[in-house]
């Protein structure tokens, strides 16, 4: 068994054990998203060989170059965009990705509506929330979420599946995960994309349905 296959197996067991330990959660982890950005091809291939089909990328063009050709070979591939999306790359993103985690502003929502009007199928959508209200970070501010959500649902006709966050480095991640869960419950959203290599165990206990794991699975990025 390859090292990646072994790590994946252990990680899946750990995730299942954590989910079993929180029977009060109505949702459990549905997706272990293997974050393949800046990882060498042979490691990604090892994950594919081990049966992993859900991958996350943060850059549209690089992801397109890497994954587009693999669709034919792996028809059950599921690709998640977890990085910020510029409107001029929205079309390419819609053509490649199954899920966008980073919808966070009206301009982008409007660009997606335009694409849909042109007959392009939209990916499943998560809204990114800037729970730490960090200036340099993408995501809608928590206080702006209600109006933005209404805009997405009513004006744009999107089905928003859930919320995503990246907690500030210097703060306890659990606080942000709990906060995101509270927001999702308040607005009736089912899915929560939260937790990375350092803190996915905490995120699961807080109700994550999608965890995004890169370095803990593949090792450091090149
Ligand atoms: C890179 C990245 C990850 C994975 O980070 P690791 O710490 O390597 O697990 C998760 N989410 C987002 C948004 C990322 O950009």
């Amino acid at each position: 068994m390859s090292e990646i296959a072994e790590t994946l197996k252990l990680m899946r067991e750990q995730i299942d054990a954590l989910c079993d330990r929180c029977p009060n959660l109505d949702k459990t982890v549905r997706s272990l998203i293997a974050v393949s950005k800046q990882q060498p091809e042979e490691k990604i291939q090892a994950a594919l060989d081990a049966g992993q089909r859900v991958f996350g990328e943060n850059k549209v063009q690089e992801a397109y170059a890497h994954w587009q050709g693999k669709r034919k070979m792996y028809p059950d591939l599921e690709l998640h965009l977890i990085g910020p999306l510029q409107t001029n790359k929205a079309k390419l993103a819609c053509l490649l990705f199954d899920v966008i985690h980073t919808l966070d502003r009206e301009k982008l929502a409007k660009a997606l509506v335009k694409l849909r009007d042109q007959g392009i199928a939209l990916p499943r959508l998560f809204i990114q929330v800037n729970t730490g209200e960090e200036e340099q970070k993408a995501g809608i501010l928590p206080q702006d979420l209600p109006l933005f959500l209404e805009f997405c649902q009513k004006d744009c006709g999107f089905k928003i599946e859930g919320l995503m966050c990246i907690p500030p480095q210097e703060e306890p991640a659990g606080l942000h995960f709990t906060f995101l869960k509270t927001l999702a419950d308040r607005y009736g959203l089912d899915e929560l994309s939260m937790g990375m290599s350092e803190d996915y165990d905490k995120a699961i206990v807080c109700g994550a349905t999608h965890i995004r794991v890169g370095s803990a699975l593949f090792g450091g990025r090149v």
Side-chain angles (χ1 to χ4, degrees):
M1 206 194 278
S2 74
E3 204 181 318
I4 301 264
E6 188 116 6
T7 310
L8 262 174
K9 182 168 170 282
L10 290 173
M11 206 174 271
R12 289 194 186 116
E13 285 168 5
Q14 183 201 14
I15 291 166
D16 286 345
L18 281 165
C19 290
D20 286 346
R21 257 200 275 150
C22 359
N24 56 325
L25 290 177
D26 45 347
K27 306 274 163 24
T28 51
V29 176
R30 285 190 243 284
S31 276
L32 162 59
I33 302 169
V35 178
S36 49
K37 65 182 188 199
Q38 295 163 261
Q39 292 292 348
E41 176 61 33
E42 62 271 19
K43 289 188 176 176
I44 299 173
Q45 189 56 50
L48 283 163
D49 292 344
Q52 178 70 27
R53 290 293 180 271
V54 184
F55 291 88
E57 291 280 348
N58 68 336
K59 294 214 168 102
V60 177
Q61 272 151 326
E62 285 164 32
Y64 195 86
H66 186 88
W67 288 105
Q68 185 50 27
K70 292 202 170 56
R71 280 274 182 204
K72 276 196 202 83
M73 242 182 305
Y74 303 98
D76 52 346
L77 202 59
E78 188 180 291
L79 298 177
H80 293 245
L81 177 65
I82 59 173
L85 178 57
Q86 294 167 261
T87 49
N88 63 353
K89 297 193 181 127
K91 182 172 179 183
L92 197 59
C94 287
L95 295 177
L96 181 69
F97 289 100
D98 300 284
V99 189
I100 292 175
H101 290 232
T102 50
L103 176 58
D104 66 352
R105 58 199 191 281
E106 275 196 27
K107 190 175 172 212
L108 180 56
K110 285 178 181 161
L112 293 174
V113 167
K114 228 183 200 172
L115 291 167
R116 189 187 56 200
D117 290 347
Q118 293 166 14
I120 292 171
L122 296 189
R124 289 149 54 197
L125 297 171
F126 284 60
I127 291 176
Q128 181 177 358
V129 184
N130 186 353
T131 58
E133 306 189 24
E134 296 171 281
E135 219 160 90
Q136 78 286 5
K137 202 165 267 174
I140 188 107
L141 291 172
Q143 63 267 30
D144 296 335
L145 177 63
L147 267 183
F148 181 59
L149 185 62
E150 190 174 290
F151 177 77
C152 288
Q153 293 173 325
K154 299 231 172 82
D155 297 3
C156 303
F158 297 157
K159 176 184 171 352
I160 299 296
E161 299 209 344
L163 301 177
M164 175 270 213
C165 78
I166 309 170
Q169 295 239 302
E170 64 284 0
E171 289 178 27
L175 290 178
H176 293 269
F177 297 154
T178 307
F179 180 45
L180 199 68
K181 165 89 172 135
T182 307
L183 291 174
D185 287 347
R186 183 180 304 158
Y187 299 112
L189 302 171
D190 286 338
E191 314 290 336
L192 283 171
S193 165
M194 57 190 197
M196 308 176 22
S197 290
E198 292 295 310
D199 50 26
Y200 67 86
D201 52 339
K202 287 194 198 78
I204 292 169
V205 175
C206 294
T209 60
H210 295 64
I211 56 174
R212 313 178 305 263
V213 182
S215 43
L217 176 58
F218 294 111
R221 283 178 277 276
V222 291

